[in-house]
């Protein structure tokens, strides 16, 4: 049962344009959401997060939007740069027994074309 | 501050063998989680350790096991390897007792190939 889904395995965007990566989840108990970026031959690195009490969080070129009613979150990258080409994972966590349990999505491979 | 290190980086085994992977977390981090990454499956959670105790376990068969030492270093063991165990195994550490709500720091992974 995939509780966190990234339905687009890949996305291509022109440099300078907006990249929008989407993520859907099924567990309404998730209370924290994160995005990670992964380059080949490296481990994922944390990018940005959002608490379930917010609907938007911004950090430079990266903005994450959360729509709890639709159980949907998205990552916007503006403007997109070739260095943003990577696999992006969304993750969701829920408190369990005093600590958070994290579930990752399947990833979306972003290619930014110069 | 040194990052999360994993050894070995690459490993080739044959079916039926067993393997042990090692992870050294960032100094001071007490939470260590293990993930399996395969194409199309994303990051599948294996287990998480905190202060030498397994706090959480994913839906993997008993062939997958792990442990954590008093210095927070962790090992993962897979016995009776199967072809489907070929994957990138990632270790992540966190400074928070929660182990997950805060950002995790990942190592580069161990690429396991089972022939």
């Amino acid at each position: 049962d995939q509780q966190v889904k990234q339905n687009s395995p890949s996305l291509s965007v022109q440099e300078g344009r907006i990249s929008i990566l989407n993520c859907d989840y099924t567990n309404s108990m998730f209370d924290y959401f994160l995005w990670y970026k992964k380059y080949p031959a490296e481990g994922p690195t944390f990018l940005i997060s959002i608490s379930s009490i917010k609907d938007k969080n911004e950090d430079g070129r990266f903005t994450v939007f959360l729509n709890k009613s639709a159980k949907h979150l998205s990552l916007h990258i503006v403007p997109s740069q070739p260095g943003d080409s990577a696999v992006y994972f969304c993750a969701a966590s829920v408190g369990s027994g005093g600590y958070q349990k994290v579930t990752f999505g399947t990833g979306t491979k972003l290619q930014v074309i110069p | 501050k040194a990052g999360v290190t994993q050894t070995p980086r690459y490993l080739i085994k044959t079916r039926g063998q067993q393997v042990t992977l090692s992870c050294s977390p960032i100094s001071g981090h007490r939470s260590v989680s293990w993930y399996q990454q395969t194409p199309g499956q994303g990051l599948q959670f294996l287990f998480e350790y905190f202060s030498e105790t397994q706090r959480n376990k994913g839906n993997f068969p008993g062939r997958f096991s792990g442990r954590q030492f008093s210095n927070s270093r962790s090992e993962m063991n897979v016995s009776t390897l199967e072809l489907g165990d070929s994957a990138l195994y990632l270790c992540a550490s966190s400074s928070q007792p929660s182990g997950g709500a805060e950002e995790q720091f990942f190592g580069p992974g161990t690429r396991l190939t089972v022939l």
Side-chain angles (χ1 to χ4, degrees), chain B residues 8-77:
Chain B
R9 291 294 309 277
Y10 302 92
L11 205 49
I12 299 176
K13 293 285 188 178
T14 56
R15 281 181 299 174
Q17 287 187 308
Q18 69 94 26
V19 67
T20 299
L21 311 181
S22 181
C23 171
S24 293
I26 291 173
S27 178
H29 286 192
R30 294 164 64 190
S31 171
V32 174
S33 298
W34 288 89
Y35 296 87
Q36 180 195 65
Q37 184 189 2
T38 54
Q41 293 297 315
L43 293 168
Q44 300 290 312
F45 174 75
L46 280 154
F47 26 66
E48 188 229 349
Y49 287 87
F50 181 79
S51 293
E52 302 179 64
T53 301
Q54 185 182 92
R55 292 199 301 189
N56 198 8
K57 191 176 190 303
N59 297 323
F60 278 81
R63 300 185 297 107
F64 292 81
S65 63
R67 58 178 176 169
Q68 186 180 35
F69 301 94
S70 58
N71 61 359
S72 293
R73 190 177 71 85
S74 178
E75 288 183 348
M76 189 192 96
N77 185 78

Side-chain angles (χ1 to χ4, degrees), chain B residues 70-88:
Chain B
S70 58
N71 61 359
S72 293
R73 190 177 71 85
S74 178
E75 288 183 348
M76 189 192 96
N77 185 78
V78 187
S79 62
T80 319
L81 284 166
E82 300 177 359
L83 295 179
D85 296 333
S86 295
L88 180 68

Side-chain angles (χ1 to χ4, degrees), chain A residues 33-51:
Chain A
F33 303 88
L34 311 94
W35 284 94
Y36 284 81
K37 178 170 71 174
K38 184 181 185 299
Y39 293 118
E42 295 182 13
T45 54
F46 170 76
L47 194 56
I48 191 169
S49 63
I50 187 168
S51 166

